[in-house]
Amino acid sequence: MNQYISDNKDRFVNELLDMLRIPSVSADPKFKQDVLRTAEFLAQKLTEAGADKVEICETAGYPIVYGEKIVDPSLPTVLVYGHYDVQPADPYELWNSPPFEPVIKDGKIYARGACDDKGQMYMHVKAFEVMMRNNALPCNVKFMIEGEEEVGSANLATFVKNNREKLKGDVILISDTGMLANDVPSITTGLRGMSYMEVEVTGPNRDLHSGLYGGAVANPINVLCQMIASMHDENYHITIPGFYDNVQELSQEERAEMARAPFSLDAYKKALDLGDVQGEAGYSTMERTSIRPTLDVNGIWGGYIGEGAKTVIPSKAFAKISMRLVPNQTSEEITEKFTKHFESIAPASVKVVVKPHHGGEPVVTPTDSVAYQAAAKAYEETFGVKPIPVRSGGSIPIVAMFKSELGLDSVLMGFGLDSDAIHSPNEHFGLFNFMKGIETIPLFFKHYAEMSR
Amino acid sequence: MNQYISDNKDRFVNELLDMLRIPSVSADPKFKQDVLRTAEFLAQKLTEAGADKVEICETAGYPIVYGEKIVDPSLPTVLVYGHYDVQPADPYELWNSPPFEPVIKDGKIYARGACDDKGQMYMHVKAFEVMMRNNALPCNVKFMIEGEEEVGSANLATFVKNNREKLKGDVILISDTGMLANDVPSITTGLRGMSYMEVEVTGPNRDLHSGLYGGAVANPINVLCQMIASMHDENYHITIPGFYDNVQELSQEERAEMARAPFSLDAYKKALDLGDVQGEAGYSTMERTSIRPTLDVNGIWGGYIGEGAKTVIPSKAFAKISMRLVPNQTSEEITEKFTKHFESIAPASVKVVVKPHHGGEPVVTPTDSVAYQAAAKAYEETFGVKPIPVRSGGSIPIVAMFKSELGLDSVLMGFGLDSDAIHSPNEHFGLFNFMKGIETIPLFFKHYAEMSR
């Protein structure tokens, strides 16, 4: 198989570049046609790779691309999940090359979606082709690639509920996470959940002249800043009543185990050009980004933000605020607590509206499962070292949904790096990582099929 | 003269509408040609009205329109100041009719600049025409109409310094303020100064994924909110060290005198649809907007502000913050104290940049001057009641500059209303107010000339 991989490497990369040229931004309606084109592109590639029953399944939102290869119903079935939509690319001016005109530089592919998740998802399509062309597909495989992951997978759960038979399988395989370093492979065993809210604060019923009214009327921007500021205390604990009630505290042993993963605070600060890190008192940086919940403002706007100066007290101010959740918090619980709290701290001088966007549940995946063991063995063979299990700070809400709706665990074989700048300008994905994925995935299938006997 | 005014009323209004159709937004470079066209329009109208030596005086920025009529060098000279530039019109979607397509509804002209200051400035051009056509100009007049008032009059002081001889006069006459109500005329005797700052807070050197980094890295939006929130205490006092050092406290007598001006808190709250007012403890709403300094955020932005949800920790967050000043604060002093304080409260986890926009000095104008007395008499004749002297919360920085550079006091004959929504969507100016101005101004000239003998 490795011969076939090296013979076809350039084509594999070029096909990914073609997909990256389609701006499939699911958050912004103006890219609708591009998102749909990406689904068609993908269906085409799955068919060419050898999949049967390839189908672009309509949903209330963007479609889900399905395809399968059943070699023998008595063999286990791996259900591959990924997504073909990408994050918005703005701010465009911070990209060194246009986000949807991929370029290869220093062995890395630069483009929005290069890693998250087009690059990692496409490794599976090509690994599938490799196994097919070499008559080496050792078990059944099904693909379910969605187009709404970056906006909360609003229609995926319904699709899964309505297609339990079609999606029947033994394990879910996902590459939408990262590893510690190219020489320190790791497998993600935990993910944070999320509650994402949008808030609106209204002061006066119209924009006012800040000279004639300043000092006597609540300025919704100042008030919003006050409310946001009050949601962290001086130790960066979140002050929403009951926020930590269901947070699972790890044992000293578990924390000591986590601390064994290689990490350099100096390198971390240097990479981000930080004067200092900042976070919840009593926890390390690794812990703050994995086993602890957070509250971050992802966007804020209000008043005059154009050139020059405008002396206005705006009528409204807005913010997008998301909270990352850990076991055993639930997005429903936290969304409710946030809403209740935000409304309760609003002064009489303003009106507030709280609108929940999407949510997702935190998960911890078992490391003693056949699937995890098979994945670990595959990494060890291609990287030459045992992968480290790590809990990630990111969220893949659908992992919890798959468990509850299909009763299946997921194995998270990520090949990206934290430095890939996903969700940021200049997102990229190493050719090394892309190819390592294509090499490692068939080995997972091999070991998983064998160990499942 | 009143016959001539009523005979020409429609033409006076139509000329104003023509000027309002030119979007002379000085804050936004894309309107540059329109600002220049407005200057030409005005020069043309001054000439038609009978002014001599009409000139469009170049500056480093937008030009100043000059014109004069010297009837007798031995008579006093009134120097009329106004501005032909306007505030930005956004948010456009909140206008009931396009801001630069003036419409007359319920006896009011709706357009950006209808009141501030095209409408009020043009009353002087037409009042001048009235006096000229009726051979009733009792003293000399000079016009100085600038195009950068809404962006801080950056080049006016230089122009004044370089043209002391040309601008020689006895009093400055300005209509860029309001009166209490159409049946409660008032003359502004005080103005607040201003320091206008723009701040930038930088956290990580690039936008980050809020899942992978959230909790461990300072979010510049959260930090900016913290910093802004900390600048007011629970009594809405401003916490910048030394901020109140030079604030002139009024005597109980002066405050009692102020409190005599008609004001209904219920009507005020109802007009703005406020659940409650909010401001500095120990002061009334009228005092908070006139004799007390303020700190307001005029604009804030950072992170993802588009449709949908983006899980990002932005690299930067920004705010425009202005402070209204009262005697004897100075903009230089407050700008320095704000900058020092803002830098001092920034945590080690971020970098901040503070950039001052424009500033202006507070003023209190004398009520015992000939000019004030002449103005009061003119109002009394046209409105039938004595005008009330009022200190306004707004800023006309150049009033202090005229005093220091030309040694001249200003008399502020405003005919607008607080409800005119200047700087807001649906700015308007009453036809009643426009015409009352044209009637009252010639009477001021008459009384001023007589009382100056």
Side-chain angles (χ1 to χ4, degrees), chain B residues 222-372:
Chain B
N222 290 75
V223 171
L224 176 58
C225 288
Q226 283 280 3
M227 294 172 76
I228 288 169
S230 76
M231 287 193 277
H232 284 98
D233 68 16
E234 63 284 6
N235 295 318
Y236 299 107
H237 291 300
I238 293 157
T239 60
I240 298 169
F243 187 81
Y244 294 96
D245 285 358
N246 301 317
V247 169
Q248 180 190 80
E249 296 286 345
L250 270 66
S251 68
Q252 286 310 321
E253 295 63 34
E254 290 173 295
R255 293 178 65 180
E257 170 65 27
M258 274 188 69
R260 295 237 311 285
F263 176 76
S264 157
L265 187 57
D266 288 344
Y268 187 84
K269 280 157 60 176
K270 196 156 176 307
L272 301 175
D273 190 20
L274 298 173
D276 198 358
V277 291
Q278 176 180 304
E280 188 181 8
Y283 294 91
S284 72
T285 289
M286 291 283 267
E287 291 172 332
R288 288 166 175 173
T289 56
S290 59
I291 62 168
R292 301 299 297 171
T294 68
L295 184 150
D296 271 301
V297 181
N298 301 114
I300 191 166
W301 68 103
Y304 182 66
I305 64 180
E307 263 201 68
K310 185 167 190 271
T311 51
V312 63
I313 295 176
S315 174
K316 293 175 184 292
F318 305 84
K320 295 174 192 272
I321 303 173
S322 68
M323 290 154 287
R324 296 283 168 168
L325 314 179
V326 300
N328 299 311
Q329 295 176 300
T330 71
S331 62
E332 185 185 3
E333 164 214 357
I334 295 302
T335 295
E336 186 187 329
K337 285 174 175 172
F338 175 94
T339 304
K340 196 150 153 284
H341 179 64
F342 196 82
E343 289 167 349
S344 74
I345 61 175
S349 51
V350 302
K351 301 173 189 64
V352 301
V353 178
V354 180
K355 183 180 109 208
H357 275 286
H358 57 277
E361 308 313 323
V363 283
V364 174
T365 59
T367 57
D368 54 5
S369 67
V370 167
Y372 182 87

Side-chain angles (χ1 to χ4, degrees), chain A residues 212-402:
Chain A
L212 302 182
Y213 292 89
V217 170
N219 180 324
I221 303 177
N222 291 75
V223 171
L224 176 58
C225 288
Q226 283 280 2
M227 294 173 75
I228 289 170
S230 76
M231 286 193 278
H232 284 98
D233 68 14
E234 65 284 7
N235 295 318
Y236 299 107
H237 290 301
I238 293 155
T239 59
I240 297 169
F243 187 81
Y244 293 96
D245 284 358
N246 301 317
V247 169
Q248 183 188 80
E249 295 287 343
L250 270 66
S251 67
Q252 285 310 321
E253 295 64 34
E254 291 173 294
R255 293 178 66 180
E257 170 65 28
M258 275 188 68
R260 296 237 309 284
F263 175 76
S264 158
L265 187 57
D266 288 345
Y268 187 85
K269 282 158 59 176
K270 197 158 175 304
L272 301 175
D273 189 20
L274 297 173
D276 199 358
V277 291
Q278 177 181 301
E280 189 181 6
Y283 295 91
S284 71
T285 290
M286 291 284 266
E287 292 172 331
R288 290 166 175 173
T289 56
S290 59
I291 62 169
R292 300 300 295 172
T294 68
L295 184 151
D296 270 301
V297 181
N298 302 113
I300 191 166
W301 67 103
Y304 183 67
I305 63 180
E307 262 200 69
K310 185 167 190 276
T311 52
V312 63
I313 294 176
S315 174
K316 293 174 183 291
F318 305 83
K320 295 174 192 271
I321 302 174
S322 68
M323 291 154 287
R324 297 284 169 167
L325 315 178
V326 300
N328 298 310
Q329 296 175 299
T330 71
S331 61
E332 186 184 2
E333 165 215 356
I334 294 302
T335 295
E336 187 187 328
K337 285 175 175 172
F338 175 94
T339 304
K340 197 152 154 282
H341 179 63
F342 196 82
E343 290 168 350
S344 73
I345 60 175
S349 51
V350 301
K351 301 172 188 66
V352 302
V353 176
V354 181
K355 182 180 109 210
H357 275 285
H358 57 277
E361 308 314 321
V363 284
V364 175
T365 59
T367 56
D368 54 6
S369 67
V370 168
Y372 181 87
Q373 296 299 329
K377 201 150 177 240
Y379 275 90
E380 189 170 359
E381 284 172 36
T382 48
F383 285 87
V385 285
K386 255 195 173 18
I388 299 172
V390 292
R391 283 177 61 171
S392 159
S395 303
I396 310 181
I398 42 85
V399 169
M401 186 272 286
F402 290 147

Side-chain angles (χ1 to χ4, degrees), chain A residues 46 49-51 69 124-132 137 141 143:
Chain A
L46 273 174
K69 187 69 191 183
H124 290 273
V125 180
K126 294 297 100 179
F128 172 62
E129 174 191 322
V130 170
M131 292 187 280
M132 290 297 288
L137 181 63
V141 59
F143 289 89

